Amino acid sequence: MRKKLIAGNWKMNNTPSQGAALIADIKETADKASCDVVVCTPYICLPAAVKAAEGSKIAVSAENMHFEDKGAFTGEISAEMLKEVGVTYTVIGHSERRQYFAETDETVNLKTVKALANDIIPIVCVGESLSQRENGVTFDFIAMQVKLALKNISAQDAEKVVIAYEPIWAIGTGKTATDEQANEVCAFIRKTVKELYGENTANTMRILYGGSMNAKNAAGLLAQSDIDGGLIGGASLKAPDFCTIINAATNA
Ligand code: 13P
């Protein structure tokens, strides 16, 4: 049985003090929940978020990370830096980073490898565009993204990886994939992982759905056979909505 995971991706929202206040508002619900709860915050918010989450079940995640250990990479943040402030997860390859910041399948893979080497759990994002879906290449595209992200990663390490299926057309649009559409692709991702690593790894790996998941539609999505949680943007910024989603995962 895979433990569900609810992760809020704040994106470029919340100052350190606003973030700490939001965490204080979700702490009680998170502590009572049977799922894992993660908040993915801007770099500058991470230390305050770790402090605010202290003594609770909430884990703190970065939204990105560089793949080199150190060096002349102005503006970048390394795994070691994240670890030192108490970060235990990082999002990798979000579609917004692929689209606006030239993230590629190659850098996604390098970052995934580096996160695992530093005991940081990578939440690797994959997802097709509307035109890819309309042209019938969703599964080909997702298989490619998954296989390239997991290159040079052992089965033992792959079990720790979280994959988030986030169809680009559903992100921030209010247009959610149906329960069946989301589950179909999540099941396909698991099948792809099975081909790469075998049944055990495939059955252990957590696969999330993201894209306009909210307090209303979460229960339906989280009840699906291959959806092990959610990566939530907009609705993770409002404590009552995020708490409703955490409770939906507990009840799923
Ligand atoms: P929304 O929930 O705002 O659509 O964002 C989803 C997302 O991109 C989470 O990473």
Side-chain angles (χ1 to χ4, degrees):
M1 211 23 205
R2 296 177 294 270
K3 194 172 184 188
K4 290 230 179 333
L5 191 161
I6 297 297
N9 177 12
W10 294 357
K11 308 192 179 186
M12 198 173 76
N13 294 291
N14 287 328
T15 65
S17 63
Q18 288 166 348
L22 177 55
I23 288 171
D25 286 344
I26 62 171
K27 237 177 172 172
E28 205 185 311
T29 303
D31 282 349
K32 281 193 290 198
S34 64
C35 61
D36 288 334
V37 178
V38 176
V39 289
C40 315
T41 90
Y43 288 137
I44 195 80
C45 296
L46 290 170
V50 169
K51 192 158 177 276
E54 224 167 46
S56 81
K57 261 184 53 181
I58 300 170
V60 176
S61 170
E63 297 177 9
N64 180 34
M65 189 197 88
H66 200 279
F67 52 82
E68 291 289 355
D69 289 328
K70 58 167 73 173
F73 302 102
T74 303
E76 290 294 325
I77 297 283
S78 72
E80 189 185 12
M81 295 171 194
L82 295 178
K83 264 183 83 163
E84 190 173 310
V85 297
V87 169
T88 50
Y89 287 77
T90 185
V91 177
I92 292 176
H94 191 280
S95 63
E96 287 148 18
R97 294 214 59 84
R98 294 181 191 253
Q99 189 179 348
Y100 307 132
F101 302 101
E103 193 83 74
T104 65
D105 287 319
E106 191 189 356
T107 57
V108 167
N109 173 246
L110 293 172
K111 290 175 180 193
T112 305
V113 169
K114 186 58 72 173
L116 289 165
N118 285 276
D119 288 324
I120 292 174
I121 299 173
I123 303 175
V124 179
C125 301
V126 299
E128 81 287 1
S129 66
L130 185 59
S131 94
Q132 286 165 333
R133 178 159 282 265
E134 286 174 350
N135 284 293
V137 298
T138 295
F139 294 103
D140 295 328
F141 185 72
I142 298 286
M144 181 189 73
Q145 283 189 317
V146 169
K147 286 177 187 169
L148 291 176
L150 295 174
K151 209 176 100 181
N152 300 326
I153 291 171
S154 67
Q156 202 187 351
D157 271 348
E159 287 182 9
K160 298 175 208 151
V161 173
V162 177
I163 294 184
Y165 167 56
E166 299 207 309
I168 296 170
W169 49 270
I171 295 177
T173 56
K175 202 173 157 186
T176 324
T178 64
D179 297 348
E180 294 71 26
Q181 275 175 328
N183 195 48
E184 185 184 27
V185 180
C186 290
F188 174 78
I189 291 171
R190 202 174 306 286
K191 183 169 147 270
T192 305
V193 172
K194 186 177 163 190
E195 281 163 23
L196 291 173
Y197 295 104
E199 189 125 19
N200 276 355
T201 307
N203 287 339
T204 307
M205 184 186 277
R206 292 192 286 187
I207 301 174
L208 316 183
Y209 168 78
S212 299
M213 192 188 269
N214 59 37
K216 286 208 180 80
N217 61 26
L221 289 159
L222 294 169
Q224 301 303 308
S225 61
D226 284 282
I227 301 180
D228 305 320
L231 184 57
I232 298 114
S236 75
L237 300 172
K238 294 172 233 142
D241 290 25
F242 194 55
C243 288
T244 301
I245 299 171
I246 294 169
N247 288 332
T250 295
N251 298 328

